[in-house]
């Protein structure tokens, strides 16, 4: 009977994962320009014209799986504390999320979220329910990997930053490959079927995109990040395949108390590369960072969708139907060694929550109040959201302030370049390649005398990156002859140990850091002439960057407008591709908006500086006010990338 049950559960899990019968070699082919075959995945759901703010992780369409999970949650009250009314709900034909539904009532009562005190617990999951790297470390494959890496110190150092994620991925693929008896862990039999299938991932996660879809990213560095992640995960897979082969050839396991099957029961082949990428994508899109356990999967909680609005804005949104009023709330959460706690946000006040429903006659119509509970995945650009979660946000002002752009800056100079100037420029040429490949771009493209700078508009990061950008522009402007003597004096003064005794040098222009580079040496304007030259240099660089995109910002805006009218009219076989195309356009549009913003800031600066009545101090004050505005200047002072600046 036990053997029969194991077989049934294993087949059920394999059905939900939907592993194809292809070998691991198909994913990467010989083309130098495209890493994926030209194929259209079968569609499981229709594309929605609405802005999707849910991870691909929450697009599974099977209702039975969530019922199994909720039954498990309700039966384990010691490790799950879920407020009555909080549950997983099918939001649309392709989305699921977590909601709180009030009982039908005529007025706000103590059971309303609006009457809860800030900090009230909505859900709690004990850390004993977390799926952490320890699960993968205890498997035969995990133990073999640990042993192998101990014998290879160089490899251990290389993979150390991503090992926790790899071990969770190992645990998932061990279940798929039959190394683990799923009936030994009731949690996994209830939780695993709620994970997105391989087919779900292949439809929308960009790491599975076709060549044509990747090409739609155009000049975006997001494509570079995708290709970098492909290489890194392929290297991880090859390492595990090597360890697996060694484990399979062993006649017996080193430990008799393995939690999973011993080596002699390992299946004849390892999982495919795309299956491993599926597992790593699960880890990337669903795990939470715990200070005690590292990345971890949290059942039930990982159904929470992303709140696209700024989490520091004290507002919520209401949508009303005849029988239901739905309010979206960005909840607070805390994770520690005890567990994961989801709470009513601290900014929530009774009056704010009463406002959205104030125009509804609740005496005449007994309605349901449905609160959509969401959390912020973090302050991310559309490129970062697409890379990690497989979705983008179409039109949202707060999202505009999170977008990032990329700008290649070259050391323009006259015939002779002072060695000090070249040295300072080279100090900023370090290669920044994130170990897990999650960064959208590195700071340098590897080209001599070229720097790729990440531009941000909003938040503290936006101010800092803008000051760095302007400092570089002032540095180049000086090297072109605009106050070059002052530039050399500043640099020489910085290198002089008697800097404080040099009265002719403005120490406010010199950073305290000993490793001076072009991005730090002049974060405040040097002179009016230098500033005008710096802004013109910035405009030239932006025009060159925009020219590398085959389409303009306005063409992308038109394409998205046309796409919104076409949604729902495509055939089922093309809807997934249509959504991926839309996501690609949204990403590249966001980058272009940021570039246009800085072009227009430069235009504004040149106009201000051209006024004879404006002093350098006046300009500094005006510039500070301009940079602190919470708006993106991409719709003003439009220009053609072909114009001469």
């Amino acid at each position: 009977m036990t053997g029969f049950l194991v077989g049934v559960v294993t087949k059920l899990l394999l059905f939900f994962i939907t592993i194809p019968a292809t070998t691991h070699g198909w994913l990467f082919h010989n083309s130098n320009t495209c890493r994926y075959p030209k194929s259209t995945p079968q569609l499981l759901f229709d594309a929605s014209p609405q802005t999707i703010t849910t991870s691909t992780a929450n697009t599974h369409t099977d209702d039975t799986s969530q019922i199994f999970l909720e039954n498990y949650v309700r039966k384990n009250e010691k490790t799950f504390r879920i407020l009555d009314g909080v549950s997983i709900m099918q939001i649309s034909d392709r989305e699921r999320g977590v909601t709180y539904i009030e009982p039908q009532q005529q007025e706000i009562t103590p059971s309303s979220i609006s009457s809860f005190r800030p900090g009230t617990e909505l859900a709690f999951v004990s850390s004993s329910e977390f799926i952490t790297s320890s699960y993968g470390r205890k498997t035969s494959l995990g133990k073999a990997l640990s042993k192998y890496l101990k014998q290879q110190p160089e490899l251990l150092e290389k993979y150390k930053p991503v090992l926790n994620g790899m071990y969770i991925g190992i645990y998932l693929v061990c279940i798929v490959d039959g190394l683990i008896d799923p009936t030994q862990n009731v949690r996994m039999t209830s939780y695993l079927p709620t994970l997105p299938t391989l087919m779900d991932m292949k439809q929308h996660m960009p790491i599975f995109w076709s060549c044509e879809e990747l090409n739609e990213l155009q000049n975006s560095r997001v494509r570079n990040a995708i290709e970098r992640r492909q290489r890194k995960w392929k290297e991880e897979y090859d390492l595990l395949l090597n360890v697996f082969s060694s484990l399979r050839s062993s006649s017996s396991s080193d430990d008799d108390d393995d939690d999973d099957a011993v080596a002699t029961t390992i299946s004849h082949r390892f999982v495919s590369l795309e299956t491993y990428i599926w597992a790593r994508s699960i880890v990337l899109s669903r795990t939470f960072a715990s200070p005690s356990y590292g990345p971890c999967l949290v059942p039930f909680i990982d159904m929470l969708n992303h709140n696209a609005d700024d989490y520091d804005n004290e507002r919520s949104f209401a949508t009303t139907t005849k029988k239901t009023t739905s309010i979206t709330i960005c909840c607070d959460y805390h994770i520690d060694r005890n567990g994961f706690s989801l709470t009513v946000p601290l900014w929530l006040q009774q009056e704010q929550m009463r406002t959205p429903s104030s125009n509804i006659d609740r005496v005449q119509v007994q309605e349901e109040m449905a609160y959509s509970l969401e959390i912020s995945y973090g302050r991310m650009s559309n490129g970062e959201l697409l890379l990690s979660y497989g979705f983008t946000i179409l039109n949202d002002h707060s999202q505009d302030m999170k977008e990032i752009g990329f700008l290649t800056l070259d050391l323009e100079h006259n015939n002779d370049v002072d060695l000090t100037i070249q040295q300072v420029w080279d100090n900023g040429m370090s290669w920044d390649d994130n170990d897990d490949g999650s960064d959208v771009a590195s700071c340098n493209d590897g080209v001599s005398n070229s720097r790729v700078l990440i531009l941000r508009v909003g938040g503290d990061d936006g101010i800092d990156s803008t000051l760095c950008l302007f400092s570089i522009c002032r540095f180049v402007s000086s090297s072109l002859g605009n106050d070059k003597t002052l530039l050399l004096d500043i640099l020489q003064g910085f290198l002089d140990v008697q800097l404080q005794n040099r009265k002719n040098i403005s120490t406010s222009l010199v950073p305290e850091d000993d490793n001076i580079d072009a991005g730090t040496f002049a974060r405040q304007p040097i002179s009016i002439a230098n500033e005008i030259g710096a802004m013109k240099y910035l405009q030239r660089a932006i025009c060159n960057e925009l020219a590398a995109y085959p389409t303009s910002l306005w063409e992308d805006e038109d394409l998205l407008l046309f796409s919104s009218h076409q949604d729902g009219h495509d055939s089922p076989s093309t809807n997934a591709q249509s959504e991926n195309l839309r996501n690609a356009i949204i990403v590249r549009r966001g980058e272009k908006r940021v570039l246009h913003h800085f072009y227009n800031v430069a235009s504004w600066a040149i106009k201000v500086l051209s006024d004879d009545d404006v002093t350098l101090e006046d300009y500094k004050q005006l510039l500070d006010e301009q940079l602190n505005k919470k708006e993106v200047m991409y719709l003003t002072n439009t220009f053609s990338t072909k114009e001469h600046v």
Side-chain angles (χ1 to χ4, degrees):
M1 180 65 179
T2 302
F4 172 76
L5 183 58
V6 171
V8 171
V9 174
T10 301
K11 290 180 179 179
L12 177 63
L13 295 178
L14 289 175
F15 170 76
F16 281 116
I17 301 302
T18 323
I19 303 302
T22 57
T23 61
H24 68 268
W26 78 268
L27 192 58
F28 299 96
H29 60 95
N30 295 328
S31 172
N32 293 324
T33 59
C34 178
R35 295 184 176 274
Y36 290 103
K38 300 178 180 179
S39 59
T40 303
Q42 182 180 357
L43 191 68
L44 297 183
F45 45 77
D46 293 330
S48 171
Q50 301 174 348
T51 298
I52 303 300
T53 57
T54 175
S55 167
T56 303
N58 294 339
T59 57
H60 200 291
T61 57
D62 184 75
D63 292 331
T64 307
S65 61
Q66 69 185 53
I67 294 175
F68 286 158
L69 177 60
E70 288 193 316
N71 287 340
Y72 171 79
V73 168
R74 302 297 179 186
K75 290 179 181 179
N76 290 271
E77 296 180 353
K78 292 183 178 180
T79 54
F80 290 92
R81 294 197 302 267
I82 310 297
L83 185 72
D84 288 343
V86 174
S87 62
I88 302 171
M89 177 171 288
Q90 197 80 21
I91 298 175
S92 67
D93 59 349
R94 63 150 296 180
E95 292 183 71
R96 290 185 304 185
V98 177
T99 61
Y100 170 73
I101 299 180
E102 292 180 3
Q104 290 186 353
Q105 52 199 6
Q106 293 185 349
E107 60 183 9
I108 294 177
T109 71
S111 65
S112 305
I113 282 188
S114 51
S115 66
F116 292 161
R117 299 183 57 146
T120 299
E121 184 180 273
L122 299 172
F124 174 81
V125 179
S126 169
S127 58
S128 62
E129 296 287 346
F130 292 0
I131 298 167
T132 66
S133 61
S134 63
Y135 279 68
R137 294 177 190 272
K138 294 177 182 179
T139 64
S140 295
L141 181 58
K143 291 179 178 180
L145 175 62
S146 299
K147 181 178 179 181
Y148 181 81
L149 291 178
K150 286 181 180 179
Q151 299 171 350
Q152 305 285 339
E154 300 83 2
L155 284 179
L156 178 60
E157 187 66 23
K158 175 182 178 181
Y159 289 105
K160 189 174 181 179
V162 297
L163 269 180
N164 285 333
M166 287 181 64
Y167 280 119
I168 298 176
I170 286 172
Y171 181 69
L172 294 174
V173 298
C174 280
I175 293 178
V176 171
D177 208 36
L179 271 73
I180 297 176
D181 178 359
T183 62
Q184 291 183 1
N185 192 328
V186 180
R187 178 190 305 111
M188 290 307 297
T189 60
S190 302
Y191 172 65
L192 190 64
T194 66
L195 298 178
T197 67
L198 177 61
M199 185 64 72
D200 292 331
M201 290 291 191
K202 288 175 69 175
Q203 287 172 343
H204 299 287
M205 289 297 281
I207 199 167
F208 288 109
W209 277 11
S210 69
C211 179
E212 292 89 341
E213 290 166 332
L214 288 174
N215 286 339
E216 291 299 333
L217 289 169
Q218 297 183 352
N219 194 46
S220 172
R221 264 57 173 205
V222 171
R223 177 165 185 168
N224 297 342
I226 294 170
E227 293 175 345
R228 186 164 63 249
R229 177 170 292 162
Q230 290 171 353
R231 292 192 297 269
K232 287 180 176 295
W233 285 1
K234 176 63 164 58
E235 290 173 358
E236 292 177 15
Y237 177 81
D238 289 340
L239 172 64
L240 293 179
L241 190 61
N242 185 32
V243 172
F244 177 84
S245 300
S246 300
L247 182 62
R248 180 176 148 193
S249 63
S250 302
S251 57
S252 62
S253 176
D254 292 334
D255 300 300
D256 294 331
D257 58 345
D258 280 355
D259 295 327
D260 57 306
V262 294
T264 53
T265 64
I266 293 178
S267 59
H268 66 282
R269 67 176 181 86
F270 194 43
V271 295
S272 66
L273 172 59
E274 63 177 8
T275 302
Y276 179 71
I277 292 179
W278 163 83
R280 289 293 272 121
S281 297
I282 292 291
V283 174
L284 178 69
S285 62
R286 295 181 73 97
T287 55
F288 293 89
S290 166
S292 302
Y293 306 103
C296 54
L297 294 167
V298 184
F300 188 88
I301 292 296
D302 61 6
M303 289 291 177
L304 289 162
N305 290 326
H306 173 57
N307 187 278
D309 198 42
D310 279 332
Y311 48 82
D312 56 349
N313 283 351
E314 299 182 3
R315 56 179 174 163
S316 57
F317 298 91
T319 56
T320 305
T321 63
K322 292 183 179 180
K323 296 183 179 180
T324 302
T325 296
S326 178
I327 299 177
T328 299
I329 301 177
C330 184
C331 300
D332 291 339
Y333 70 89
H334 177 71
I335 184 169
D336 56 26
R337 63 181 304 170
N338 296 317
F340 188 107
S341 181
L342 183 74
T343 59
V344 173
L346 295 178
W347 54 261
L348 188 62
Q349 302 295 332
Q350 291 186 20
E351 292 302 320
Q352 289 174 314
M353 293 309 301
R354 286 194 179 103
T355 301
S357 58
S358 60
N359 296 326
I360 304 171
D361 189 352
R362 304 188 67 178
V363 176
Q364 297 181 6
V365 180
Q366 288 190 340
E367 63 182 21
E368 265 187 353
M369 288 296 294
Y371 298 86
S372 178
L373 306 182
E374 298 178 348
I375 59 175
S376 171
Y377 292 0
R379 188 180 182 86
M380 298 184 182
S381 68
N382 270 320
E384 292 165 317
L385 288 173
L386 177 65
L387 189 62
S388 296
Y389 301 103
F391 69 85
T392 60
I393 299 169
L394 181 57
N395 289 313
D396 186 89
H397 171 71
S398 64
Q399 184 61 34
D400 274 347
M401 299 300 293
K402 303 181 186 111
E403 289 303 290
I404 62 178
F406 305 93
L407 184 61
T408 302
L409 299 174
D410 296 311
L411 178 56
E412 294 184 3
H413 53 78
N414 296 323
N415 294 331
D416 58 326
V417 180
D418 188 276
L419 292 179
T420 305
I421 295 177
Q422 185 67 55
Q423 179 182 355
V424 172
W425 178 265
D426 292 342
N427 283 343
M429 299 290 288
S430 60
W431 180 268
D432 181 17
D433 190 10
N434 191 280
D435 287 310
D436 64 359
S438 59
D439 280 353
V440 171
S442 59
C443 69
N444 176 27
D445 62 0
V447 179
S448 176
N449 276 349
S450 293
R451 298 179 63 173
V452 176
L453 199 66
I454 299 178
L455 307 182
R456 296 182 183 272
V457 177
D460 294 338
D461 290 342
I463 296 295
D464 187 68
S465 68
T466 301
L467 293 178
C468 177
L469 168 67
F470 286 0
S471 177
I472 295 174
C473 293
R474 290 164 188 148
F475 180 87
V476 175
S477 177
S478 297
S479 70
L480 290 172
N482 298 310
D483 285 333
K484 183 176 181 179
T485 302
L486 178 59
L487 166 67
L488 294 176
D489 283 345
I490 292 172
L491 298 178
Q492 185 60 44
F494 178 81
L495 299 174
D496 195 329
V497 294
Q498 302 298 327
L499 174 64
Q500 298 300 327
N501 296 326
R502 293 175 59 92
K503 297 181 180 180
N504 62 323
I505 301 300
S506 174
T507 57
S508 64
L509 295 175
V510 181
E512 298 178 357
D513 195 327
D514 289 339
N515 188 27
I516 186 174
D517 68 63
T520 60
F521 102 101
R523 295 199 168 200
Q524 291 295 322
I526 297 175
S527 69
I528 290 180
N530 176 274
E531 193 73 2
I532 292 176
M535 295 299 107
K536 288 184 177 180
Y537 164 74
L538 175 58
Q539 288 183 323
R540 288 195 299 272
I542 291 174
C543 286
N544 291 335
E545 193 74 34
L546 287 169
Y549 290 91
T551 59
S552 69
L553 171 60
W554 319 120
E555 288 173 323
D556 289 346
E557 298 283 7
D558 289 341
L559 286 171
L560 289 172
L561 181 63
F562 176 78
S563 175
S564 65
H565 291 310
Q566 290 296 111
D567 279 324
H569 300 289
D570 298 330
S571 65
S573 62
T574 61
N575 276 338
Q577 284 187 320
S578 297
E579 186 168 330
N580 291 344
L581 172 60
R582 179 166 55 246
N583 286 338
I585 297 174
I586 290 172
V587 167
R588 74 194 196 210
R589 179 194 68 171
E591 295 173 2
K592 294 171 188 177
R593 281 183 170 183
V594 172
L595 291 171
H596 277 250
H597 167 82
F598 282 100
Y599 184 95
N600 291 326
V601 169
S603 296
W604 168 88
I606 293 172
K607 182 178 180 180
V608 171
L609 292 166
S610 299
D611 187 341
D612 294 336
D613 295 331
V614 174
T615 66
L616 186 62
E617 292 303 317
D618 293 335
Y619 169 74
K620 289 180 181 180
Q621 182 177 351
L622 292 171
L623 179 63
D624 183 65
E625 294 174 357
Q626 180 65 49
L627 297 183
N628 281 282
K629 288 182 178 179
K630 294 185 177 181
E631 62 178 342
V632 183
M633 297 173 59
Y634 65 88
L635 291 179
T636 60
N637 299 327
T638 59
F639 67 98
S640 168
T641 58
K642 295 181 180 180
E643 72 179 7
H644 177 71
V645 180

